[in-house]
Amino acid sequence: MWRELRSCLRTRASRRSSGAGPAARRPGARPPNLLEAAAVHVAACAGDDRARAAEAEDWVSPEALAFGVRELACRAVLALARERGQDPQTVARELLGLPAR
């Protein structure tokens, strides 16, 4: 999973350096908010859909996307922690394959 995320981030960096960015939003559609962009981006990266991830990257600035991804990660860890009856730190470490403290 992390390899795919790194690949998506590299693709985003190369697109940014080539001049693609927020100005390339979908014509005629309401602009997606940063949480929509983050949800699409993360789901696309998880599903190895680089084209969809790149599309979501164009919807908002890189900073907004990074904030949205962090917000999504926090909400996901909290939801899993509640569901499992565990501490959020334990769940986060488990998801990353880190040893328990």
Side-chain angles (χ1 to χ4, degrees):
M1 178 175 91
W2 291 110
R3 263 183 269 143
E4 286 118 18
L5 182 58
R6 276 185 294 205
S7 174
C8 282
L9 292 175
R10 279 190 212 113
T11 301
R12 186 175 94 203
S14 68
R15 288 175 58 87
R16 198 175 328 134
S17 65
S18 71
R25 290 191 181 112
R26 301 172 300 172
R30 73 166 175 78
N33 70 36
L34 66 98
L35 295 178
E36 288 174 315
V40 169
H41 185 266
V42 169
C45 286
D48 200 25
D49 184 350
R50 292 188 177 118
R52 186 75 170 139
E55 180 185 353
E57 292 164 10
D58 287 341
W59 295 348
V60 295
S61 71
E63 295 81 12
L65 184 62
F67 174 81
V69 169
R70 281 192 305 272
E71 184 65 22
L72 178 59
C74 289
R75 291 180 187 196
V77 167
L78 286 173
L80 281 172
R82 283 188 204 113
E83 183 179 292
R84 296 177 180 182
Q86 294 178 322
D87 178 61
Q89 183 174 2
T90 302
V91 171
R93 294 183 67 81
E94 219 175 84
L95 289 171
L96 293 171
L98 298 172
R101 283 193 171 183

